[in-house]
Amino acid sequence: MKKFLLLSLALTFGFAAMAQKVGKIPANLKNVPAIRVHKAVDIPLNMNNNYNPYVEATHAKAVNETQIGNTQYDLQTNGSVQNRIYLHPDGTIGATFTVSVSPSTYPDRGTAYNYFDGTAWGAITSTRIESARCGWPSYSPLLNGELAITHNGSTGLLVTSRATKGTGAWASTTLVGPVPTNTATTALLWPRSITVGNTIHLIACTDQNNSTTATMSQLWYYQGLSLALVYYKSTDGGATWSAPVVLPGMDSTSIKPSVNNLGYGGDGYAWAAPKGDTIAFSCGDSWSDFFVMKSFDAGATWTKVPIYQFPDAGLTAPTPIIASIDGSSACAIDENGLVHVVVGRMRVSDDDFADDPPASSYYPYTDGLIYWNESMPVLDSGSLNNETQLIASGNYIAGMLDYSGNDTIDFPSVASGSFPFGNYNISLSSMPQIIIDNAGDIYVTYSSCREDLTNPGATPNEQLYRHLYAMKSTDGGATWTTPNDLTGASLHNFDECVFGSLSYTSDANLHIIYQADQEPGLAVRGDEDASGDNSIYYITIPKAEIGSDIGFQEIQTIDGVSIYPNPASSVANIDMTLGSSQNVSIHVYNMIGQDVYSMNYGSLNAGSQHFSINTASYNSGIYFISIEAGDSKLTRKLIVE
C-alpha cells in the first residue's frame, strides 16, 4: 500500500459550510431528454472493456478519512443506497461494498468487507467474502455477529453471516425465491434488510427476465407483477424464513401506471432504522406512486402512507413531461414513530406505451433533493414541478450550489446527445441518506454535482464532478443548515464522490463510506467509461460541525484560469486573471503528494497573467497545479502524457 503525504491547507480536510445558495438550472436545458431507458437489470450493458490508466487504486485523502477498499465494479446501486456500514455500540464498525477487479463480466463480484476494531481499519480490501458471484450487499448487525444479504441472480439470495463480528469464518445459505409464471427461476434481486437482535426483515424483487431485450410476452410475473417486491421475516438469524408476501397496497391492482404492470424498479426502496417494533421502508420510482410501508408490530400488519401520487388516470402516450421522483430515497423514524423521507426529484415522459420491450425518457438536467414527513401534505406532479412552491413548503431542501454567484448553474458545453455530468439516471442532487439521532436531530447526506469542478481536457466532453454533502435540522425538519461539502479537500476536486452510505447509528460523529474515482459517471452502465480502480473511503464527521464554517475553504477570487494543452507532453501553459495586485506562487504536486515544481513569482499586477511549466521530465500520470494569489487558492488537475 502506498503512503501519501498530506499537503498543508490545499490538500487537507476541506469541510466547510458553503455560503452559496442553490442555483437555477438554465431554462433551455430543463427539457433536454436523455436516451430512453429500461428497468434496471443485473447484466453488463454494452461494456467498454478498455482500462483507464489514470484512475489509481490509492491516492491522497483528507485527514479525516481512510481508504478501506478498492473495486472496478462501480455500480453500487441502481437507485437507493443500501445500508452498507454500521457503527456498533462498542465503537467498532463493519463496512461493505460491491467489489470486483475483473472486468468486463466481473466473475469475482461479491461483498467486500472491512472492519474497524476501535483503533484501526483492516488493510485495503478488494476480495469478496462469498464463494460465489453475487452483489448488492445489505449489511446489518446480528446480536454479537453480523450479516450481509446479496443476490446471485439465479437461485435466490445469499445470506452470509458469522456469529462474532469482525472475526471468524463467514457461512452462506440460500434463500430461495418464489417461482414466477413462464419460468422455473427462484431468483430474488436487489435485497434490503434490517435487523433487531436476531430478527431480520427483508425485501427483495422477484426476477422479471434478466435481459434488456425481453419482450412483454417473455417477461416473468409473480402474482400479476413483473419485479414484484416481496417481504420476508426471520426470527432466528436467517436459519428459517417466513413465506414471501406481497404487502397490501403493493399488489398488481395498486401499481401505477397500470399500462404494463412492470412492478417495482431495482433498488427503488430503502429501510429506515428500526425503532423497536416500528419498522418502515420507502418505495417508488419515476413511474410509480411514492410511499412508505409502515408496521408498528414488527411486520405482522402494514399501513401504506402516500407521499407522492403519480398522475396515472387518463394518461396516454405521448405523455407530457411529468414531474416525479428519481427512485433514490432514504427514510428514518423519529421518537414519535413518524417517518421522515428524502428523495431525488426527476421529470419523465413516454412517447409510446406499446413499445416492446418498454422504455421511457428522463430529463437529466432535473435538480432538487425533496424532503417529506408525515405532517406534510401528499405531493403530486404539479407540486413537484413548482420549485418556488416546493421551497416555500419546506420540501425542496437542497440542490446544486451556485459557486459562480450568478444565480444560474453554468454547465460546460457538450456535443449534442452528450451531458456535462455522469449518467446515473437520477437528479443532479440525489443518493440521499437520512438518520435521526437520540437528540432528535435529523442528518441528511447526499451527492451533488459541483458547478465549479470539471475534468479538463476530457474527451468527448468535460463533465462536472459530484461531491458528498451533509446538512442537519434541529427542529424536526422545519429548517435546515447550509450544506457542507464533506469531500472538499482539494485533492477531491478531481474525484467523483458518490454512493455515500451513512450508518444508521452515530455517536458524536457521523460515519459514512462512499466511492470515489477520477472519472465522472460509470463504467458498468450509463456513460460506459473505461473501467478503472474506484476507491472506497470511510469518513467520519463531527456532528457539531455540520452547518458550521469550520474547516478550510478555497476562496474563489482568481478568474479565468486556463491550463493548456491538457493533457500536456513537454509544456503546460497557465493563463489567469488577477482582480488586484497579488503575490503569486504556483506548485505542482504528483499523485503521492510530492512537490515537483515550486515557484514564487512575487507581486504581480492586476489583469492577465501567463505562466509556462516544463513538463518534459515528468512521468506520465495525473498532477495537481496549486495556484496561490494572496488569500486565494485554486487547484486544477493536469494530465501529463
Side-chain angles (χ1 to χ4, degrees), residues 51-74:
Y51 181 77
N52 183 354
Y54 295 123
V55 180
E56 298 197 2
T58 55
H59 58 276
K61 50 190 176 291
V63 295
N64 64 325
E65 59 186 5
T66 303
Q67 185 181 351
I68 64 171
N70 176 62
T71 178
Q72 290 184 33
Y73 192 91
D74 59 0

Side-chain angles (χ1 to χ4, degrees), residues 287-319:
W287 284 93
S288 72
D289 287 344
F290 181 50
F291 53 89
V292 162
M293 296 300 296
K294 186 176 181 181
S295 174
F296 292 103
D297 52 15
T301 60
W302 293 84
T303 300
K304 185 177 183 179
V305 181
I307 302 172
Y308 161 74
Q309 293 180 327
F310 188 88
D312 187 41
L315 191 64
T316 59
T319 70

